[in-house]
Amino acid sequence: MDVKLAQCFLAVDDHDKAIAFYRDVLGMEIRNDVGFEGMRWVTVGSPLQPDVEIVLEPPDASPDASPADKQALNELLAKGLLRGVIFTTPDCDALYERVRESGTDVLQEPMDQPYGVRDCAFRDPAGNQLRFIERPAS
């Protein structure tokens, strides 16, 4: 079976702040910026992975969510309790310094993990947890 990841979704409450972070701090490309029915979706991706995209969407974008569910999602996002994304990098320490210098909320400084990677973690401007792992040299 030939299955590959194409898109994943992250909730954001301010697309302009998210664009500044993902484009200007992490170096991602803006691939799409769409408005529809008062909402906005921005698609970003690494130039190194042209076939993988992260869609930055409003937390209440699901048409099937009840008003109470939409409110709950907004509250979870505000608390930083929605899951995020894990990225790889060849140099965790250099990436950490670049992201930290941008003023981003640090969750974990670079450290060697018992399961064989070096990683660090931040919150994006919306509160999503982003982890960056450096795999050991082969």
Side-chain angles (χ1 to χ4, degrees):
M1 193 176 315
D2 188 5
V3 177
K4 298 190 304 184
L5 177 67
Q7 293 180 323
C8 63
F9 292 78
L10 282 177
V12 299
D13 55 358
D14 185 322
H15 283 89
D16 293 326
K17 286 182 182 176
I19 287 171
F21 176 75
Y22 286 94
R23 180 191 60 207
D24 303 338
V25 177
L26 296 183
M28 297 202 169
E29 304 170 325
I30 305 302
R31 298 193 180 150
N32 210 351
D33 191 338
V34 177
F36 181 71
E37 294 187 1
M39 288 188 270
R40 184 178 180 192
W41 289 264
V42 176
T43 305
V44 299
S46 168
L48 302 173
Q49 291 180 295
D51 58 342
V52 178
E53 300 176 326
I54 300 170
V55 180
L56 307 173
E57 67 174 353
D60 56 357
S62 175
D64 299 322
S66 70
D69 290 340
K70 290 180 180 187
Q71 180 180 346
L73 285 168
N74 279 297
E75 290 171 2
L76 290 170
L77 178 63
K79 292 178 183 180
L81 295 176
L82 297 181
R83 299 299 296 176
V85 176
I86 299 174
F87 297 93
T88 62
T89 180
D91 189 340
C92 182
D93 294 275
L95 181 130
Y96 171 81
E97 287 303 321
R98 176 183 170 99
V99 177
R100 184 189 59 79
E101 288 172 4
S102 76
T104 302
D105 184 21
V106 174
L107 295 176
Q108 176 200 307
E109 294 181 3
M111 62 185 292
D112 294 323
Q113 298 293 351
Y115 41 89
V117 301
R118 183 166 180 78
D119 70 356
C120 61
F122 298 91
R123 290 210 186 278
D124 74 2
N128 295 298
Q129 182 182 132
L130 305 179
R131 186 163 292 278
F132 299 87
I133 64 170
E134 176 183 343
R135 292 189 172 108
S138 304

